[in-house]
Structures are given as C-alpha cells and as structure tokens.
Amino acid sequence: MSKSPQVDTLTPLTKKKLFDGLAPWQVVLSLLPLGLLFIGGAIGGGLGALGMAANVKIAKTQLPTAGKVAAMLGVVLAVVVVFLVVAGLLSNAVNG
C-alpha cells in the first residue's frame, strides 16, 4: 500500500493581482473601457469589463509599447462601437 504524501502546513494560495507588473499608463488604458459603466449601466459595464480584460491581456504581452497602445485603444474603440450598436438595437426593439 502506498502512503500519501505528508503535508506539514497548508500554505495559503497567493492571489495574483490583476494589475501586477503593469505600468501606470497601462492601468489607465486597461480601465478606460469601464467608463461605459457610467454611461450604459449593466450593458455598458459588462462590455467594459470584457474590454478591460482584453486590455490587461494585451498589456501583459511582449508587444512594443506603440503596439500595445494602438491595440488597447483599438479595444476601447471596439467596445464603444459594440455598445452603440447594442444600444441602438435595443432602442429600436423597444420603441418600434
């Protein structure tokens, strides 16, 4: 019969913070899509959260700085366009 490994103490899991290792400008660009929360409520907040997650992933890549800035601003623009399309479709559906 094999013995199970001995565990002396349980070490707590270390939580990795979302913005660890990012420069201040990267944090600002990552949080920029969340501005839709104030304009668009739950729909804007949901889209903004997706945009923020995408921007954090972009910020942690090995792209050059100019590439990161362009990609992150592109995500912001894409999120705003998607929000405007969804808002327009919902408005048209509700108002006929």
Side-chain angles (χ1 to χ4, degrees), residues 2-96:
S2 65
K3 292 184 177 183
S4 61
Q6 185 69 22
V7 177
D8 292 331
T9 60
L10 295 176
T11 57
L13 296 176
T14 57
K15 289 186 178 180
K16 190 172 183 180
K17 294 185 180 178
L18 186 62
F19 300 113
D20 276 354
L22 297 184
W25 65 268
Q26 292 173 323
V27 173
V28 169
L29 284 179
S30 294
L31 291 174
L32 198 56
L34 286 180
L36 285 176
L37 176 66
F38 302 108
I39 298 170
I43 295 170
L47 290 172
L50 290 174
M52 182 196 72
N55 275 349
V56 168
K57 279 192 158 258
I58 291 169
K60 292 184 177 184
T61 63
Q62 296 296 321
L63 288 172
T65 301
K68 287 182 185 182
V69 170
M72 292 170 84
L73 288 175
V75 167
V76 173
L77 180 64
V79 168
V80 169
V81 168
V82 169
F83 169 74
L84 292 175
V85 168
V86 169
L89 290 173
L90 285 175
S91 176
N92 196 18
V94 170
N95 297 329

